[in-house]
Amino acid sequence: MARRLRREWLPLGLFLALALVPVLAPLGPQSFILSLMTRIVVVALAALSLDLLIGKGGLVSFGHAACLGIGAYAVGILSAEGVTDGGAHLAVAIAAAAFFALATGAVAMRTDGVHFIMITLAFGQMLYFLATALSAYGGDDGITLPGRSTVLGRDVLASDTVLYLAALGALLAAYLLLRRIAASRFGRVLEGARDNPVRMEAIGFRPFRFRLAAYLISAMIAAVAGVLLANQTGFVSPATMAWQRSGELIFIVVLGGLGSLHGAILGAIAFILAEELLSHWSEHWRIVFGPLLILAVLFARGGLAGLLTKGARP
Amino acid sequence: QDKIKVGLILTLSGPAAALGQQARAAFEMALKDLGGKLGGREVELVVADDELKPDVAVTKVKGLIDRDKVDVVVGPTFSNILGAIAKPVTDAKVFLISPNAGPSPLAGKGCSPFFFATSYQNDQVHQVSGKVAQSRGYKTLYLLAPNYQAGKDAIAGVKRDYKGQIVEESYVPLNTLDFQSELAKIAAAKPDAVFTFMPGGMGVNLIKQYKQAGLADRIPLLSSFTVDESTLPAQGDAALGMFAGSNWAPDLDNPQNKAFVAAYVAQQKAVPATYAFQAYDAALLLDGALKATGGKTDDKEALRAAFLKADFTSLRGAFKFSRNGFPVQDFYLTKVGKRPDGKLETQIVEKVFSDYVDSYLPECSIK
Amino acid sequence: MSSTLLLIQILNGLQFGVILFLIAAGLTLVFGVMDFINLAHGVQYMVGAYLTAAFAAATGSFWLGLALALPAALLIGLALELLVFRHLYERSHLDQVLATFGVIIFLGEAVRMVWGSAPIGVEMPEALSGSIEIAPGLLYPVWRLVIIAAGLGVGIGLYLTVHHTRIGMLMRAGASNAPMVSALGVDIRLLFTLVFGFGAMLAGFAGAMVAPILSVEPGMGDGILILAFVVIVIGGIGSIRGAFVAALLIGLVDTLGRFLAPMLLRLLLDPAAASQTGRALAPMLVYILMAVTLFVRPAGLFPARR
Amino acid sequence: MTALLRVEGLSKSYGALRVTDGLSLSVEPGELHAVIGPNGAGKTTLIHQISGMTPPDAGRILFAGEDVTGRSMAGRALAGLARSFQITSILPRFSALQNVALAVQARSGSSFRFLSPVDGEAALTGPARDLLARFGLAERAEMPAGALSHGEKRQLELAIALATAPKLLLLDEPLAGTSHAESARIVEILRGLTGSVAILLVEHDMEAVFALADRVSVLVYGRVIATGAPEAIRSNPEVRAAYLGEEAA
Amino acid sequence: MSAPLLEIEALEASYGPAQVLFGIGFSVGAGEVVALLGRNGMGKTTTIRSIMGLHRDCRGRIAFDGRVVLGSPPFRIGQAGIGYVPEGRQVFPTLTVEENLVATAAIRAGRDRWRLPEVYALFPRLAERRRNLGTQLSGGEQQMLAVGRALMTNPKLLILDEATEGLAPLVRAEIWAVLRRLRAEGQSILVVDKNVDILTELADRHVVIEKGRVVWTGTSAELRTSPEVKDRHLHI
Ligand SMILES: Nc1ncnc2c1ncn2[C@@H]1O[C@H](COP(=O)(O)OP(=O)(O)OP(=O)(O)O)[C@@H](O)[C@H]1O
Ligand SMILES: Nc1ncnc2c1ncn2[C@@H]1O[C@H](COP(=O)(O)OP(=O)(O)OP(=O)(O)O)[C@@H](O)[C@H]1O
Ligand SMILES: [Mg+2]
Ligand SMILES: [Mg+2]
């Protein structure tokens, strides 16, 4: 137990700290803190889902923001059409993301390495341009949501605290689920296919199926993040799906520490907080932020998670 | 009385930062010219950068309102950011003053008593070109815009007053570098005039290439947001003689404006564009309104009434607000020319609309 | 539609392709041949354009500006290699992505701090600013032809260097197994440093050459970077010939697609729907092209012999 | 009784090079059939084709009475065709144990199980541990496979192939890179398998080939130039000239 | 007698926390052929990679040609005159056979025994496949290429780590013949191979390693007459 605690202190600490946010927020500018933290948690959720692909599957998707966008647009379009029920939003978002993942995954999985990066970028961009062409829903100016998603007809998410807790709950659930998956038979095969697909085929696994399944799971989780993001922002636009957004998610995953899952959460916190604090400090914050990233790569092997747990690994 | 807090949110970093930079410089200049006070109260300015990302912008304005407790928000630069922050700001019953973006939803169905623009409703600027094309009797017009919402709005705006023949409605992808093929089409179509809306770097590319292709001397170019003082330094002499629609120009003849332009040029080593002037006016608007309320911001009704009166001397001359918070003002056709100091600027050719009211006003339900 | 117009558009497509190739050339070297993902290629291109603008303004001559900008770009490339890149060769592609993203952020901001956010312009050399008649009734800007020549020159030079010199062999060998090259007595570090410096210079050269026709502004390298990657991937990573063909292909598809798609669609749909669909499709064309290419040939058109 | 594996008229060319040239060959159940031949004769390519990694240009591959020519590599593996690689192909980041356990997993039930931890499955790690012990790698079980020495990796390679419980083993130079002591152990293990598992063995270690093989085929330029009992092959002058030289004398 | 060409003293090496070499010491004299023997995983390759400067995590003293080389970058060690045939071939996959041979070829200190024609004469199979890429070779062909590539650097000391792995008996015999010839020409060689019998003919001296320590050194004659060494350390 003690050993386990030693190994697990980082994820435990992370979630504890996140759980304390609503308690501590009223001491400061509450709505701002909650808004910022909700964004962090949502981005962490998206990054977490991407870590399954990159860290475990070796599949660097450069179009992951598209899934985020699908979630957001599910809320945007349904709300614009008068459907405000959160359950409906989630269902549509997840179904649409699953469809997108199956359709594009079947093609993308034919390639690997850099080609996979580029083909996912291509699909992400197609979706992005599709969204900009949706004149009925604001085109690339996007649409403002009339309000947040309702739950069973009640407006519970209108409270920033409730929205934050919902996001945190989703993050925790996804984290536990993905941890199980990573340690399961399925996860083992996925990792094996990352390291040596030919060997995997030679012992009787078809990497394609496992990768596609991982892609599907990841896309659906990202779509949930998209639903939450739309609710947090109160606004949906193609900017959510821009390739820079996909890039940012990759950076967060790598920065946090590939394949460790909690690293993705850590990465999201570090990335967004650094951005927020630095940009508050100076408009030229990027002149510091860039070198910070470089230093992080050069000196923190295994990302932030690796840096923090270096001593604790048995 | 303690200080009044103003939150300024603009796109200050990334590729599209030039406009926001102008706006900030001008706003700060205005504060200085007003002796560091608005309506007699000391001012504390909190500047935020929206990074041109809607969700970042939302967090930032929440920070301004909640953490910094600003009394009023001025910004942003771009329409899509305005779309994202308008609701959170006005829902918090904080006044939002846009120094540039003026999207149609906020003028019509989505209008808010807490929103004012010192700029214009976007369509109006494009309408200038349509009206000019019509009144000059151009028989054929070639329309060129980037393929995104603002581009579509621009083309819709031009078509409203132009009744001649549109030979082509051409949309190019956003961030197009090379207009060679468009120019070939234009040369082949031989229209009486071209209208384009090509903001930022795209406009620079288009204008340079338009000139290089030898079209500049043959086919007049009407535009909006394509040749202005933010792009002219890059476009150089290639832009000479190009037309644009505007609610203002640096050479607009009134004493305040002359002083403003001279001071801006001295300080920034560049000629101000509308983004600068509108931000300057935003500060003047605040000053005027706060003077009227005696510096108080608690009584929202009174403050709104004070804003609506627009009791200040705008750099553009007299103007009023409609009840949707958009100005009723004159619009001009401008043309790129050289200043005595050799710098380029847009210069007024003629007044096209007087006291022009935007066409979305009827949809606004505010009394 | 006249056939001359079609002809001109084909020509435009090809020349746009050559521009793309010119911009992608440095990346072909560093990413294609050396297998190093350098996201900073785009900002190096931008820096080249800015340096040319600055030096040209200071000296009053484009050519002097170019002559000064190239060594400056080379120096910046060498400095970056020494400080950042050289620690990343043995790292994963993702680490390279992250670190070079840091370089983008840094250089992008540095450029903004030095030159401001507003676009700036570069005057084209007077002698080459006109147009010539390349066929009866067909005027073409001379500078475009200069760019085409530069693109072809860079392409041929690169091809010969990479495939027909010992330096090229060592580069390719080092990309796949640097320690082994070193153990056989070659200072591969030094070679890598030079290659990266040269790659930066090529990027800068591209920036300089297009500066007179494009706006020099922050962010000018961002979109281009993606397009350059698309070029290399469609062409087949590691193949210079492939990159060239892919660049031309993209130039053609992009130009002609925008030109022809609405017309073709008009045969199927009513005009409003056709232009609507055409507009939605146009920006996707390049990406559709890439997806289709990779679907049919997962390793690109000319998979390098690796 | 039918052959377990029958290859008929197999051909494969790379450009002008005919690597496999109308090759026919069979492996009987329980038999150890050795294939020898000069470097570049096409032995590895033959194994690639039988295992499904390289599609042949022409010819048929029948396994356990079924035509498997069009089947995927994974499909063939599941049907009982296992192979080792000449150039070691393992999962370097996995432990030696996990490498083998994964191969056991491939043949024991669906791998689309998402929730239960795989490391806890004794049904996988048990047999894997046994196999490692047989190869003398028990001490190395928890080490990342990438950190094993070359010879140890070669043995792991073999253990992985065995772990799939195949009907037919395609072994591509299993003794290369192993020292004398390890070679002897591997030969013992292979001898223990004969009778129950059929083996197609490609090997340049003649001592081992002649000690183990029931039949030997000699491949030269993609063609079988001789097939027969070890003794007959050893004394075949053509084989000596093309391949063996004086060493086997 | 002059100082040995290669001298190794008290060499220790680790992979992270795990130490695998514990004070290896031996030398190779000019014109001498030394065999490094030991079972799998005993540290032969680690020793060689340490000599080449490819394994950095090591301590002790390594001198080549009178100069300390431990700590120098690999290319300096290669340039000093060591030709290296690595374990597992490591031919350059994206280069053709000929390019593999030419890319790192060098004529050092006037030694030009090996040029393309000589290598092709040694391995005619390589000449046939000269336009093929490294990856498109059979395992044995790759092995020939690795040997040829090392020879093309015209080294003072040739180090072969399992250079006959995967070679057909005829070719193996050919390589042994070449090594014998080279030995006669005065070439120094350090060789790791599993064919102890042949090595006892070829090598002057043998160094047996077990678990990272030198457990026996001696001449070929001594090895032939020491069945207990073969039995205990090499299991022959
Ligand atoms: N992808 C390829 N392209 C071109 N030639 C190839 C390719 N793969 C193999 N070859 C050639 O086919 C021939 C046979 O190769 P293969 O690997 O089957 O030989 P082998 O009999 O296994 O030899 P070895 O005993 O050396 O392992 C070789 O000459 C090799 O160069
Ligand atoms: N990358 C590595 N990380 C950790 N340990 C390693 C690594 N490489 C080798 N080792 C360990 O070092 C020891 C010596 O390995 P080395 O490769 O030197 O052996 P060797 O004598 O060459 O064996 P072989 O005959 O199998 O090639 C082995 O126990 C091996 O497990
Ligand atoms: Mg072989
Ligand atoms: Mg070894």
Side-chain angles (χ1 to χ4, degrees):
Chain A
M1 185 64 212
R3 245 188 83 188
R4 172 141 189 199
L5 203 66
R6 239 181 56 192
R7 243 181 323 129
E8 306 278 356
W9 70 265
L10 187 54
L12 267 176
L14 271 177
F15 276 105
L16 262 177
L18 288 176
L20 283 178
V21 166
V23 183
L24 299 177
L27 304 179
Q30 185 175 10
S31 137
F32 166 68
I33 292 181
L34 285 175
S35 160
L36 178 68
M37 291 309 296
T38 308
R39 192 151 67 86
I40 288 181
V41 167
V42 169
V43 171
L45 181 59
L48 189 67
S49 69
L50 186 60
D51 195 23
L52 175 72
L53 283 185
I54 302 184
K56 300 295 174 192
L59 301 164
V60 184
S61 168
F62 200 177
H64 210 57
C67 303
L68 207 59
I70 289 175
Y73 267 90
V75 180
I77 295 178
L78 286 178
S79 300
E81 301 300 333
V83 183
T84 60
D85 184 56
H89 293 168
L90 271 180
V92 170
I94 290 177
F99 174 76
F100 175 76
L102 279 181
T104 66
V107 177
M109 295 301 162
R110 283 171 56 90
T111 62
D112 56 8
V114 175
H115 297 105
F116 182 81
I117 300 184
M118 297 305 287
I119 203 165
T120 46
L121 167 75
F123 287 124
Q125 288 292 90
M126 287 181 209
L127 209 64
Y128 171 83
F129 287 120
L130 187 68
T132 62
L134 284 180
S135 294
Y137 303 103
D140 52 83
D141 279 348
I143 31 170
T144 303
L145 301 182
R148 290 189 177 154
S149 305
T150 53
V151 179
L152 303 175
R154 292 177 41 220
D155 212 4
V156 284
L157 290 180
S159 148
D160 286 347
T161 311
V162 175
L163 180 66
Y164 174 78
L165 288 175
L168 185 58
L171 182 68
L172 183 63
Y175 174 72
L176 294 177
L177 177 73
L178 289 179
R179 262 181 67 136
R180 299 285 300 249
I181 291 181
S184 71
R185 278 187 168 214
F186 173 82
R188 189 55 61 74
V189 178
L190 191 62
E191 281 190 84
R194 167 195 69 196
D195 289 353
N196 191 345
V198 175
R199 179 30 105 188
M200 295 305 284
E201 284 196 49
I203 56 179
F205 294 110
R206 287 188 186 86
F208 179 87
R209 301 178 175 183
F210 293 87
R211 289 176 171 166
L212 193 59
Y215 197 56
L216 197 66
I217 296 170
S218 166
M220 293 192 294
I221 295 178
V224 175
V227 169
L228 290 164
L229 186 67
N231 273 295
Q232 188 266 328
T233 316
F235 179 76
V236 175
S237 83
T240 322
M241 298 193 223
W243 65 265
Q244 287 92 338
R245 279 335 211 21
S246 298
E248 237 170 65
L249 287 177
I250 299 178
F251 302 131
I252 287 174
V253 172
V254 181
L255 182 71
L258 223 49
S260 65
L261 294 181
H262 59 262
I265 303 174
L266 203 58
I269 297 177
F271 193 89
I272 296 180
L273 276 188
E275 199 178 75
E276 175 64 31
L277 293 176
L278 286 174
S279 69
H280 199 61
W281 157 75
S282 157
E283 142 206 355
H284 293 298
W285 58 280
R286 284 186 170 86
I287 207 89
V288 181
F289 191 58
L292 272 184
L293 281 186
I294 299 175
L295 291 177
V297 183
L298 294 187
F299 295 105
R301 291 213 182 197
L304 298 174
L307 197 68
L308 286 176
T309 48
K310 202 175 261 168
R313 283 276 142 88
Chain B
Q1 253 178 347
D2 55 353
K3 290 184 174 177
I4 181 160
K5 276 195 165 184
V6 177
L8 186 62
I9 181 161
L10 297 164
T11 301
L12 293 171
S13 64
L19 314 187
Q21 299 283 2
Q22 283 218 6
R24 182 177 60 174
F27 193 83
E28 284 172 348
M29 253 176 77
L31 289 184
K32 224 173 87 211
D33 293 350
L34 293 167
K37 290 187 177 163
L38 289 175
R41 279 172 74 181
E42 295 277 333
V43 180
E44 184 179 334
L45 185 64
V46 188
V47 182
D49 172 15
D50 60 44
E51 300 174 35
L52 200 47
K53 295 177 191 160
D55 53 339
V56 171
V58 167
T59 307
K60 291 276 166 90
V61 290
K62 290 207 165 146
L64 291 177
I65 293 170
D66 239 45
R67 177 184 54 196
D68 305 319
K69 308 255 184 286
V70 297
D71 299 292
V72 51
V73 174
V74 177
T77 318
F78 294 100
S79 296
N80 58 339
I81 299 294
L82 183 55
I85 66 170
K87 196 165 182 310
V89 178
T90 54
D91 277 0
K93 300 205 184 327
V94 173
F95 282 95
L96 176 63
I97 299 178
S98 166
N100 189 44
S104 49
L106 271 169
K109 287 206 182 67
C111 64
S112 157
F114 291 97
F115 178 82
F116 289 90
T118 56
S119 48
Y120 34 68
Q121 200 287 309
N122 293 346
D123 294 5
Q124 295 178 303
V125 181
H126 311 305
Q127 280 169 262
V128 173
S129 290
K131 177 86 178 191
V132 167
Q134 180 66 21
S135 61
R136 293 199 173 179
Y138 293 141
K139 293 208 168 49
T140 52
L141 192 59
Y142 189 107
L143 307 180
L144 179 63
N147 184 14
Y148 72 133
Q149 199 55 40
K152 292 170 202 163
D153 293 348
I155 286 195
V158 174
K159 289 204 283 194
R160 193 165 300 164
D161 292 306
Y162 180 67
K163 303 290 174 248
Q165 190 201 348
I166 309 260
V167 287
E168 173 82 52
E169 227 173 84
S170 189
Y171 290 94
V172 298
L174 201 57
N175 298 325
T176 293
L177 302 175
D178 199 15
F179 290 92
Q180 206 60 18
S181 75
E182 288 304 323
L183 298 177
K185 283 197 316 200
I186 292 173
K190 298 200 181 67
D192 285 348
V194 172
F195 165 78
T196 189
F197 161 76
M198 252 340 129
M202 284 188 295
V204 177
N205 297 347
L206 174 67
I207 295 301
K208 283 182 159 191
Q209 295 169 17
Y210 195 78
K211 171 87 178 173
Q212 283 158 18
L215 291 172
D217 311 324
R218 289 196 275 146
I219 305 171
L221 187 99
L222 299 165
S223 71
S224 34
F225 305 101
T226 307
V227 287
D228 63 34
E229 289 71 17
S230 74
T231 58
L232 284 174
Q235 287 157 333
D237 290 352
L240 280 173
M242 306 282 175
F243 296 100
S246 181
N247 58 344
W248 172 91
D251 73 335
L252 192 65
D253 198 9
N254 65 56
Q256 293 87 349
N257 191 45
K258 287 215 159 105
F260 162 71
V261 173
Y264 190 96
V265 172
Q267 196 194 63
Q268 300 287 321
K269 311 277 176 286
V271 189
T274 47
Y275 322 105
F277 124 75
Q278 286 156 181
Y280 195 93
D281 256 16
L284 297 185
L285 167 68
L286 276 173
D287 185 53
L290 285 167
K291 276 203 184 110
T293 63
K296 286 211 255 320
T297 55
D298 313 335
D299 186 347
K300 308 286 179 189
E301 287 292 324
L303 190 53
R304 171 170 165 80
F307 276 131
L308 257 184
K309 270 200 350 232
D311 188 10
F312 68 99
T313 325
S314 165
L315 300 183
R316 78 196 91 181
F319 86 99
K320 332 182 281 231
F321 277 119
S322 301
R323 58 194 159 84
N324 62 1
F326 281 78
V328 179
Q329 58 187 335
D330 299 344
F331 284 89
Y332 308 91
L333 179 72
T334 67
K335 180 176 174 180
V336 177
K338 271 219 166 82
R339 288 160 47 95
D341 62 5
K343 291 193 164 75
L344 295 168
E345 69 175 359
T346 55
Q347 296 168 343
I348 290 176
V349 179
E350 57 180 281
K351 190 186 278 184
V352 180
F353 294 114
S354 298
D355 292 338
Y356 197 42
V357 183
D358 71 90
S359 39
Y360 297 93
L361 181 63
E363 294 171 26
C364 173
S365 55
I366 300 175
K367 284 286 129 10
Chain C
M1 179 193 69
S2 70
S3 57
T4 11
L5 186 55
L6 183 65
L7 203 72
I8 298 178
Q9 296 298 32
I10 291 177
L11 193 65
N12 284 330
L14 290 176
Q15 74 94 17
F16 181 47
V18 178
I19 295 188
L20 279 183
F21 176 76
L22 185 64
I23 297 173
L27 196 64
T28 317
L29 186 69
V30 170
F31 168 58
V33 180
M34 303 283 295
D35 198 30
F36 183 98
I37 298 201
N38 178 19
L39 293 190
H41 180 79
V43 286
Q44 286 170 331
Y45 155 83
M46 170 179 78
V47 166
Y50 268 101
L51 286 171
T52 310
F55 286 128
T59 60
S61 146
F62 175 84
W63 298 115
L64 271 180
L66 178 66
L68 289 171
L70 286 184
L74 176 72
L75 281 182
I76 293 177
L78 291 178
L80 280 179
E81 201 276 346
L82 288 175
L83 288 173
V84 184
F85 295 172
R86 73 163 29 189
H87 308 290
L88 297 168
Y89 299 145
E90 275 132 54
R91 300 290 202 82
S92 69
H93 276 161
L94 279 178
D95 281 349
Q96 296 168 356
V97 164
L98 187 55
T100 54
F101 179 63
V103 175
I104 295 189
I105 294 181
F106 175 79
L107 276 186
E109 192 61 39
V111 162
R112 259 172 25 88
M113 287 171 77
V114 177
W115 284 290
S117 309
I120 59 177
V122 176
E123 285 303 315
M124 161 177 309
E126 198 59 43
L128 302 175
S129 62
S131 298
I132 55 166
E133 198 164 6
I134 52 174
L138 182 48
L139 280 177
Y140 220 70
V142 178
W143 190 251
R144 302 266 166 177
L145 301 176
V146 173
I147 290 183
I148 292 179
L152 290 175
V154 165
I156 294 171
L158 211 53
Y159 180 81
L160 291 179
T161 314
V162 170
H163 289 289
H164 294 282
T165 66
R166 205 152 135 179
I167 299 260
M169 288 177 208
L170 289 173
M171 264 160 51
R172 283 179 283 141
S176 56
N177 193 343
M180 196 57 223
V181 180
S182 184
L184 288 163
V186 174
D187 188 352
I188 192 75
R189 275 273 145 114
L190 181 67
L191 183 69
F192 275 22
T193 307
L194 296 178
V195 171
F196 277 81
F198 188 67
M201 199 170 83
L202 275 183
F205 178 64
M209 291 307 288
V210 300
I213 55 168
L214 302 184
S215 80
V216 179
E217 55 176 339
M220 66 184 282
D222 294 0
I224 272 298
L225 173 74
I226 292 294
L227 219 48
F229 271 103
V230 172
V231 164
I232 293 176
V233 166
I234 290 187
I237 296 167
S239 166
I240 292 164
R241 195 168 47 119
F244 190 77
V245 174
L248 294 191
L249 195 64
I250 291 178
L252 276 180
V253 166
D254 189 58
T255 307
L256 292 184
R258 265 192 285 140
F259 177 61
L260 295 177
M263 276 189 251
L264 294 179
L265 284 168
R266 246 166 254 174
L267 301 176
L268 302 172
L269 307 165
D270 67 275
S275 69
Q276 177 83 15
T277 322
R279 257 182 282 152
L281 271 179
M284 293 187 206
L285 276 177
V286 169
Y287 296 100
I288 294 177
L289 177 67
M290 176 162 74
V292 170
T293 308
L294 290 182
F295 182 73
V296 182
R297 307 193 55 144
L301 291 180
F302 297 89
R305 310 180 305 161
R306 58 168 71 204
Chain D
M1 193 182 108
T2 57
L4 181 60
L5 175 78
R6 181 179 295 287
V7 172
E8 289 169 4
L10 210 59
S11 294
K12 175 86 200 170
S13 302
Y14 289 111
L17 184 75
R18 311 205 71 175
V19 183
T20 310
D21 195 358
L23 186 149
S24 299
L25 183 111
S26 68
V27 180
E28 304 298 326
E31 177 194 37
L32 194 150
H33 188 156
V35 175
I36 61 175
N39 294 121
K43 303 181 294 296
T44 298
T45 311
L46 173 65
I47 290 193
H48 282 343
Q49 292 173 93
I50 298 175
S51 66
M53 198 166 136
T54 304
D57 297 341
R60 292 205 306 160
I61 299 163
L62 300 159
F63 179 63
E66 272 183 73
D67 188 335
V68 297
T69 321
R71 264 204 235 170
S72 72
M73 175 144 76
R76 296 184 209 195
L78 291 178
L81 240 172
R83 65 165 296 178
S84 77
F85 289 84
Q86 180 175 11
I87 297 176
T88 312
S89 180
I90 52 175
L91 303 166
R93 291 203 259 176
F94 282 34
S95 72
L97 183 67
Q98 288 170 335
N99 264 278
V100 183
L102 198 54
V104 179
Q105 183 184 324
R107 63 160 155 96
S108 23
S110 167
S111 280
F112 280 93
R113 295 191 200 158
F114 296 93
L115 295 180
S116 54
V118 63
D119 273 331
E121 287 195 55
L124 304 184
T125 45
R129 250 181 228 290
D130 292 347
L131 258 170
L132 284 179
R134 270 168 81 186
F135 282 93
L137 289 175
E139 269 179 48
R140 300 271 191 248
E142 313 299 337
M143 240 169 117
L148 298 179
S149 83
H150 180 61
E152 291 164 342
K153 282 182 194 152
R154 300 288 309 141
Q155 297 174 66
L156 179 62
E157 171 82 36
L158 209 54
I160 294 173
L162 273 181
T164 58
K167 297 192 190 110
L168 172 65
L169 256 178
L170 307 167
L171 299 181
D172 201 350
E173 304 201 23
L175 299 180
T178 57
S179 84
H180 231 282
E182 280 78 10
S183 291
R185 175 160 51 211
I186 293 170
V187 168
E188 270 325 299
I189 293 174
L190 293 184
R191 184 170 288 139
L193 291 175
T194 47
S196 55
V197 179
I199 299 176
L200 184 77
L201 173 70
V202 170
E203 185 51 68
H204 289 302
D205 182 335
M206 288 306 111
E207 211 182 306
V209 166
F210 290 124
L212 285 171
D214 299 310
R215 269 198 302 164
V216 179
S217 290
V218 185
L219 203 62
V220 177
Y221 287 121
R223 269 183 236 225
V224 176
I225 60 162
T227 301
E231 280 321 303
I233 295 296
R234 196 199 286 259
S235 51
N236 182 327
E238 213 183 332
V239 175
R240 298 184 80 98
Y243 180 65
L244 294 174
E246 295 313 305
E247 196 180 298
Chain E
M1 208 189 114
S2 62
L5 190 59
L6 175 72
E7 244 186 313
I8 299 167
E9 284 167 27
L11 179 66
E12 297 186 355
S14 316
Y15 290 96
Q19 186 168 356
V20 296
L21 297 187
F22 302 86
I24 298 275
F26 66 90
S27 65
V28 182
E32 199 181 20
V33 176
V34 174
L36 200 55
L37 304 176
R39 292 169 47 201
N40 288 140
M42 291 305 159
K44 304 180 294 290
T45 299
T46 308
T47 306
I48 289 175
R49 288 175 51 83
S50 303
I51 298 172
M52 292 311 301
L54 291 170
H55 185 71
R56 305 222 135 242
D57 191 1
C58 61
R59 304 151 294 281
R61 179 170 181 277
I62 302 176
F64 179 70
D65 217 1
R67 288 216 316 271
V68 171
V69 292
L70 194 139
S72 306
F75 76 92
R76 288 222 190 288
I77 300 173
Q79 282 171 357
I82 303 188
Y84 173 47
V85 181
E87 179 177 79
R89 310 167 185 101
Q90 305 200 27
V91 299
F92 302 122
T94 50
L95 270 58
T96 63
V97 167
E98 190 147 315
E99 286 175 336
N100 260 284
L101 292 171
V102 173
T104 54
I107 293 171
R108 298 210 170 96
R111 288 188 312 270
D112 62 349
R113 167 76 176 76
W114 296 100
R115 292 166 188 261
L116 265 185
E118 287 80 18
V119 171
Y120 282 151
L122 174 64
F123 300 119
R125 186 78 196 167
L126 290 186
E128 284 170 32
R129 320 243 61 213
R130 68 210 294 168
R131 305 244 166 275
N132 277 64
L133 290 188
T135 34
Q136 296 170 343
L137 297 182
S138 82
E141 290 163 346
Q142 291 185 16
Q143 196 66 60
M144 299 175 204
L145 186 55
V147 175
R149 182 179 63 182
L151 291 176
M152 291 280 286
T153 66
N154 288 295
K156 286 185 198 153
L157 170 69
L158 186 60
I159 299 185
L160 304 112
D161 193 354
E162 315 234 10
T164 62
E165 175 185 339
L167 289 180
L170 259 179
V171 186
R172 222 183 301 153
E174 186 64 30
I175 291 205
W176 295 127
V178 171
L179 292 186
R180 249 178 243 124
R181 241 170 29 232
L182 286 176
R183 179 188 131 124
E185 292 168 16
Q187 171 80 53
S188 312
I189 300 174
L190 175 64
V191 54
V192 173
D193 206 278
K194 67 192 273 192
N195 284 294
V196 181
D197 293 340
I198 304 229
L199 287 178
T200 39
E201 286 170 40
L202 180 75
D204 299 298
R205 284 192 303 119
H206 300 263
V207 178
V208 179
I209 300 190
E210 186 161 295
K211 301 226 162 118
R213 292 187 170 83
V214 175
V215 290
W216 190 85
T217 38
T219 63
S220 287
E222 286 165 346
L223 183 61
R224 262 192 293 267
T225 56
S226 323
E228 80 284 357
V229 174
K230 288 199 191 176
D231 186 50
R232 189 137 56 94
H233 302 299
L234 305 172
H235 293 256
I236 295 173

